[in-house]
Amino acid sequence: MRPGGIGAGLIAVCLWGLAPVATRSLVHELAPLPLLTLRQLLAAGVLLPWAVPALRRTDARDLPRFIVAGLLGMVGYNLPVTVGLQWLPASSAGLLLATEPVWVLVIGLVFLGERAGPRVLAGTGVALAGVAVIAGPAALSPGSGTRAVAGAALVLVATLAFGGYMIVLRPLSQKYGPVSATATSTVAGALPYLALVGTVWPPRLSAPAGAELLFLALGSTVAGMLLWNLAVVLGGAGISRLLYLEPVVSVLGAMVFLGERATAAVLAGGLLVTAGVLMMGDWMAWPRRSAPS
C-alpha cells in the first residue's frame, strides 16, 4: 500500500466512525426527517458535478439500478439509523453498524447464489452473537428498554439496506467507476427529500448543531466517500481492513464527545462483532464502502 492511501483511508474511517456520534447529538435538536433532508440535499448538491457527467454517459438500462441503489442508500440506510439513534447510544450503534459485511454476505447467499466457505459462515455466526450481546441487555432494562431495542432493530434494518445497496451498486461501480457511481446514486436517492425542503428551510439551528450538520453532509458523506475511493485507488483491496477501526472510533468518540460509558456488554459484543468480521477475511477484499455513512 502507498502511504497516501493509508492516510486517506484512516481519515475516511474516522469521519464515518464519528457520524453516529454527531447524529446522536443532533437528533436532540433536529428531528430525524428534517435532519436527513438537509444532510442529503447538501451532500447531493456537492456531488452533483460528478453525477451530471456520469448521467450523460449512463446506459438507459442502468438508470433503474441507480435509482434503487440511491433509495437503499439514502433512504433505506440513513433514515433508520437516524431514527434509531434517538434511542440508542452512539457507541452501540457504531458497533452494530460493523455488521454490514454480514448482511452483504447474507444477501449474496440468498439472492445471488453466492457461496461462502466454513470460515466465512463461522465469522457470520460470531458477529451475530456479538449483536445479540450488544442489544440483549437493553431488552431487560426497565423504562427505556423497549426504545433501546427498537433503536437497535432500526440500525440493523439499516445495515441490511446497506447490504442491498452494495449488491445493487457493485456492477455500476465496476462499469462507471466508484466515484461516478456513488455520486449518481447519491443524487438519485436525495430526490425524494426535495418534497420536504419547504418544511425545513431555512433551518433554525444553534451553532454547534449547524456544525454537526455540516460535518455529516460534507465531512462524513462527501469527504469520507471521496477519500475512501482515493484510498482504494492508492492502496488496493487490502485497504478495506482499515474499516475494522470504524467501530472503535465510534465508541471512543461517544465516550469523549457525548460522555457515554461503554458497558461490559457493549465491549464484549463489540469484540465478538469485530472478531466475526475479521474471520470473514479476504471475502471482504472488494471495496465495501461506497455509500454515505
Side-chain angles (χ1 to χ4, degrees):
M1 299 182 191
R2 301 179 189 175
I6 296 175
L10 284 173
I11 295 173
V13 165
C14 289
L15 292 172
W16 287 329
L18 290 174
V21 179
T23 302
R24 171 71 172 172
S25 176
L26 189 53
V27 291
H28 292 299
E29 185 169 332
L30 191 62
L33 204 53
L35 188 164
L36 275 176
T37 299
L38 293 170
R39 175 186 176 181
Q40 309 298 28
L41 292 179
L42 279 172
V46 173
L47 291 171
L48 195 60
W50 284 273
V52 170
L55 281 171
R56 289 175 178 170
R57 59 187 176 90
T58 295
D59 190 325
R61 293 172 296 181
D62 291 329
L63 287 176
R65 184 179 285 268
F66 271 118
I67 293 172
V68 171
L71 292 176
L72 284 170
M74 301 291 276
V75 180
Y77 174 74
N78 280 313
L79 182 58
V81 168
T82 305
V83 175
L85 277 166
Q86 293 181 108
W87 310 311
L88 190 69
S91 54
S92 298
L95 292 169
L96 292 174
L97 289 172
T99 62
E100 289 167 356
V102 175
W103 305 115
V104 174
L105 168 66
V106 170
I107 292 173
L109 292 174
V110 174
F111 295 102
L112 302 181
E114 295 181 351
R115 297 181 180 181
R119 187 182 69 172
V120 173
L121 295 176
T124 300
V126 171
L128 292 179
V131 170
V133 171
I134 294 170
L140 304 177
S141 62
S144 61
T146 303
R147 288 188 173 185
V149 172
L154 284 169
V155 171
L156 289 174
V157 167
T159 61
L160 183 61
F162 181 80
Y165 170 89
M166 285 306 305
I167 295 295
V168 174
L169 194 68
R170 190 191 306 179
L172 297 176
S173 295
Q174 294 169 344
K175 184 175 181 179
Y176 298 102
V179 174
S180 296
T182 302
T184 303
S185 62
T186 299
V187 171
L191 292 178
Y193 294 103
L194 287 173
L196 303 173
V197 69
T199 65
V200 298
W201 190 267
R204 298 178 180 178
L205 297 173
S206 64
E212 289 164 351
L213 178 62
L214 289 176
F215 168 77
L216 288 170
L218 306 183
S220 178
T221 300
V222 177
M225 182 271 291
L226 293 176
L227 284 168
W228 182 254
N229 281 297
L230 174 63
V232 170
V233 171
L234 294 178
I239 207 77
S240 63
R241 288 173 176 80
L242 293 177
L243 292 166
Y244 301 141
L245 298 174
E246 189 176 336
V248 178
V249 175
S250 296
V251 172
L252 292 178
M255 295 172 67
V256 171
F257 295 108
L258 302 179
E260 293 183 4
R261 291 188 298 175
T263 64
V266 168
L267 292 176
L271 287 174
L272 285 172
V273 169
T274 304
V277 174
L278 284 170
M279 287 173 66
M280 297 170 71
D282 292 336
W283 183 85
M284 285 300 298
W286 53 275
R288 82 176 168 93
R289 179 71 77 161
S290 297
S293 179

